[in-house]
Amino acid sequence: MIRPRCVVLAFALCLASPTAPASETDADCLMCHADRDLTSASGKTLFIDENRYGLSIHGQAGLSCVDCHADLAKVEDFPHAEKIEPVDCSLCHEAEKSAVAASVHGRPHQAANASIVVSCKECHGTHDIRKKDDFDSPVFAINIPDTCERCHLGLVQTKRGGDFIRVYNESVHFKAAKKSGLSVSATCATCHGAHDVRAAADPESRVGRKAIIRTCGRCHAWIERDYLEGVHGKAHVKGLENVPVCTDCHTEHAIQTAETLSSSVYATRVASVCSRCHDDENLARQFGLITSRLRTYSDSFHGTASRFGATRVANCASCHGFHDIRNSADPRSSIHPANLSATCGRCHAGAGPNFAKGKIHVVSEKTEAKGAYIAKIFYITAIGGLISLFCLFIAVDLARRARTRWKAKKSP
Ligand code: HEC
Ligand code: HEC
Ligand code: HEC
Ligand code: HEC
Ligand code: HEC
Ligand code: HEC
Ligand code: HEC
Ligand code: HEC
Ligand code: HEC
Ligand code: HEC
Ligand code: HEC
């Protein structure tokens, strides 16, 4: 946001000097600063490229040097003082300043990152600042990953280490942006925000478990709708933890199409994604779910073939769907008895009602438990009994030998 006063000021400056972007004072400054060899006492170059500045948004808007270097506005004796105040962009961009100040970048950092300052110029530059839709801007959508990664690959220490961000550079979103030039693809800033970046645990974060559905759904509209109609989405809206959100199944930075071998939802990997929860005893107890989904699936023809890498056999998602998953009692569920022949029929041409009859997850939980229990008791009894008998046999044998030896000693 630009304060109106500043726009008026910029306009006035523009009108005052329509041909020469440099104003009276600019010429003063450039008298020295257009010198390529000018360096500070510490050796830093102080050369300002007038042409480059002229192409920047501020040069175009007719800002003069002292609009930003405000403490030099009243100086008439040059050379000016050695130490001058750092530029305060919020003179004209107040909203951005307060957003950054409240973000994870503006708040005190963890000790390991304490020396890293994240100010406007780190993301925007200084004298060559461009509009965000200028291809050469460091914050042009497709350039944003490079801008954030300058710090986030290696320099910044986070709880999760470094490499969890690097995988973004192989993701479908990165490729869509960099290769296809899709400036509407997901970049760091579309998911995290630009100025109001928050830690994931912050309730106001756009990438926290609560908000992530909306963040992805801004672009993947129908998928958000389907998800919210399914059993997982309904539970999520109720505020229940432990139901999957987009990133539990897709990961956050390594997102790929389902056809990509490394995708978390590649056909042969789906079973393990679902089973992380559906074979979890604690979760099952909490939600009254039946477990052993993975084992029963693995025992089936589909599961066995999938373990050997077959991608055309059914995985959990082929039968249950993936975003609008529903309970089998729901008439709209793909596994509702009335819909099963259609569900199987997608792959088994001509599958009638009989084809889908009988349990899919073959081993029923209760009988399985009973059977296992009986088997366990049998084995414990049998093995325990055998060991006891064996010990008894050894003991009796030892005692017999000892007695014979004792007897032999006694009678010469
Ligand atoms: C007579 C030459 C001269 C003129 C005119 C001049 N400067 Fe400088 N400027 C210098 C020199 C020399 C330094 C280096 C001071 C040092 O660090 O030793 C410098 C340093 C600077 C710095 C860096 C200070 C820092 O802390 O690193 C800024 C910013 C700057 N000048 C802006 C301006 C602006 C804006 C104008 C016009 C209003 C201007 N200068 C006019 C000579 C000049
Ligand atoms: C949009 C604001 C803005 C404008 C306009 C601007 N500067 Fe700067 N300038 C900065 C920032 C930001 C820095 C980095 C130091 C800081 O944070 O104060 C800087 C630094 C400098 C430095 C120190 C060397 C360097 O590159 O870090 C010089 C010299 C300088 N400016 C001169 C000029 C001159 C001359 C003009 C006019 C042609 C000008 N500036 C216009 C924002 C501006
Ligand atoms: C962590 C990097 C980062 C920092 C720090 C940062 N910006 Fe930005 N800024 C961005 C990105 C990314 C965009 C583009 C947002 C978009 O595409 O919607 C942007 C956009 C802008 C815009 C364009 C208007 C808009 O919001 O769409 C302005 C103005 C701006 N920033 C000013 C500032 C100022 C002033 C500061 C310092 C107070 C600052 N920025 C700090 C990354 C940053
Ligand atoms: C004296 C007022 C002033 C100061 C100080 C100032 N700007 Fe600007 N800024 C403007 C004006 C005016 C525009 C042009 C607005 C337009 O054309 O839409 C602008 C535009 C921008 C844009 C492009 C916005 C877009 O639409 O994408 C960015 C980014 C930006 N400024 C960042 C900065 C940063 C970073 C600083 C500090 C280094 C800074 N500005 C300092 C007045 C200022
Ligand atoms: C100048 C370096 C720098 C740049 C550029 C930068 N960051 Fe950061 N970032 C940091 C630092 C430092 C932290 C603070 C970590 C801490 O609190 O210790 C941080 C923290 C974060 C966090 C929270 C991490 C956590 O573990 O809590 C996120 C998310 C984040 N940045 C995203 C971004 C995005 C998105 C961009 C680009 C728009 C970006 N950063 C650009 C330095 C940078
Ligand atoms: C498709 C959305 C998306 C994109 C694109 C994305 N992120 Fe993330 N990012 C997330 C999600 C979701 C999390 C995990 C939040 C959690 O831990 O629950 C995350 C976590 C992070 C964290 C750790 C935050 C914390 O508080 O632990 C950092 C730092 C980060 N991302 C930086 C980046 C950078 C830099 C880029 C660009 C190269 C980027 N992200 C691109 C969604 C995204
Ligand atoms: C329970 C796990 C799960 C959740 C939660 C989930 N997905 Fe998916 N998603 C999948 C699976 C599995 C596929 C791949 C299906 C296939 O083989 O085509 C998929 C496919 C996709 C596709 C590709 C389109 C297609 O139909 O193949 C997109 C885009 C997508 N998901 C986005 C999202 C978004 C956005 C969210 C959150 C609103 C989300 N997903 C939540 C498991 C999930
Ligand atoms: C800013 C918009 C945007 C956001 C936000 C976004 N995506 Fe995407 N997504 C895209 C675009 C664009 C593509 C690439 C489509 C292509 O290349 O065909 C894509 C592709 C995908 C694909 C592969 C689709 C396929 O055809 O198989 C999945 C899966 C996906 N996104 C999941 C997510 C998830 C999960 C989130 C949230 C963490 C998310 N996306 C956030 C725009 C977005
Ligand atoms: C993060 C954990 C998690 C993941 C991953 C997950 N689920 Fe779920 N799922 C749940 C929870 C919790 C419920 C119970 C929701 C409720 O009852 O409100 C549930 C409910 C279900 C139901 C309805 C069960 C019933 O008895 O009503 C089906 C079917 C289901 N999930 C299938 C899947 C499939 C298929 C996948 C993989 C594509 C999957 N789930 C991935 C946690 C998960
Ligand atoms: C060949 C199709 C098919 C495959 C593959 C499949 N399921 Fe099922 N699933 C069903 C059918 C049909 C039912 C309902 C009848 C039953 O329990 O057998 C069901 C029931 C369930 C239920 C109980 C929910 C309810 O509404 O009764 C859950 C949870 C579940 N499956 C999860 C999974 C998981 C996790 C996987 C992968 C490891 C998977 N399923 C693989 C067809 C399948
Ligand atoms: C995603 C596709 C797909 C779906 C959906 C699917 N199957 Fe299969 N199934 C296969 C493939 C591929 C084979 C391997 C044998 C073949 O080519 O016919 C197979 C094999 C089988 C077999 C063992 C071999 C045979 O042909 O007798 C049975 C039984 C079976 N499926 C039952 C079902 C039932 C019941 C359903 C629905 C609840 C179902 N399948 C849904 C792809 C699928």
Side-chain angles (χ1 to χ4, degrees), residues 75-381:
V75 172
E76 274 164 12
D77 295 337
F78 289 104
H80 52 76
E82 244 178 58
K83 265 261 137 303
I84 60 177
E85 288 298 312
V87 170
D88 181 2
C89 310
S90 73
L91 284 172
C92 305
H93 302 286
E94 209 174 39
E96 286 80 7
K97 166 115 173 188
S98 43
V100 173
S103 79
V104 69
H105 289 139
R107 291 177 181 170
H109 301 158
Q110 295 164 51
N113 304 315
S115 63
I116 310 172
V117 179
V118 193
S119 62
C120 319
K121 65 179 181 223
E122 303 298 339
C123 293
H124 290 285
T126 53
H127 300 119
D128 50 359
I129 293 171
R130 308 285 179 130
K131 270 175 108 73
K132 67 176 180 188
D133 49 11
D134 184 325
F135 287 0
D136 289 331
S137 165
V139 302
F140 175 66
I142 298 177
N143 301 333
I144 287 173
D146 295 335
T147 302
C148 307
E149 287 176 359
R150 247 186 43 230
C151 290
H152 280 284
L153 292 190
L155 187 62
V156 180
Q157 312 288 318
T158 65
K159 274 169 267 154
R160 296 166 61 182
D163 264 17
F164 73 102
I165 294 172
R166 202 176 298 276
V167 290
Y168 170 77
N169 293 1
E170 266 110 56
S171 72
V172 62
H173 290 134
F174 179 83
K175 284 183 200 138
K178 287 275 175 173
K179 288 213 175 121
S180 314
L182 270 175
S183 55
V184 294
S185 187
T187 71
C188 322
T190 41
C191 288
H192 289 280
H195 300 131
D196 53 349
V197 177
R198 307 276 174 155
D202 186 324
E204 283 180 53
S205 163
R206 300 170 197 218
V207 299
R209 291 188 70 80
K210 270 238 135 60
I212 194 68
I213 307 293
R214 190 76 274 280
T215 299
C216 307
R218 251 182 55 216
C219 299
H220 296 285
W222 284 328
I223 293 187
E224 180 188 17
R225 180 200 59 192
D226 286 353
Y227 170 82
L228 291 174
E229 285 179 1
V231 59
H232 293 141
K234 287 213 171 100
H236 174 74
V237 170
K238 276 192 224 147
L240 298 174
E241 306 265 330
N242 300 325
V243 286
V245 296
C246 319
T247 45
D248 286 318
C249 297
H250 290 284
T251 76
E252 63 265 349
H253 296 135
I255 297 172
Q256 300 287 5
T257 68
E259 293 76 33
T260 309
L261 199 64
S262 63
S263 168
S264 59
V265 295
Y266 186 68
T268 55
R269 218 163 278 140
V270 169
S272 67
V273 167
C274 310
S275 311
R276 213 178 61 220
C277 298
H278 284 282
D279 273 18
D280 180 328
E281 300 288 345
N282 290 330
L283 202 64
R285 220 170 298 125
Q286 186 192 341
F287 286 91
L289 298 169
I290 35 177
T291 53
S292 297
R293 299 293 92 179
L294 178 63
R295 194 163 52 69
T296 52
Y297 167 71
S298 299
D299 287 349
S300 76
F301 182 90
H302 295 136
T304 310
S306 176
R307 265 208 316 287
F308 284 102
T311 53
R312 288 178 46 243
V313 293
N315 61 51
C316 321
S318 331
C319 296
H320 290 280
F322 30 100
H323 298 136
D324 56 348
I325 294 171
R326 293 160 190 269
N327 181 275
S328 54
D330 183 334
R332 290 174 63 189
S333 169
S334 55
I335 56 158
H336 185 272
N339 304 331
L340 266 181
S341 41
T343 301
C344 312
R346 268 180 38 227
C347 301
H348 297 281
N354 279 336
F355 182 77
K357 250 197 193 130
K359 285 272 178 196
I360 303 297
H361 295 283
V362 178
V363 188
S364 149
E365 207 60 25
K366 277 190 193 123
T367 56
E368 174 191 276
K370 209 190 279 168
Y373 182 73
I374 292 170
K376 201 161 81 183
I377 294 299
F378 173 76
Y379 278 115
I380 289 174
T381 323

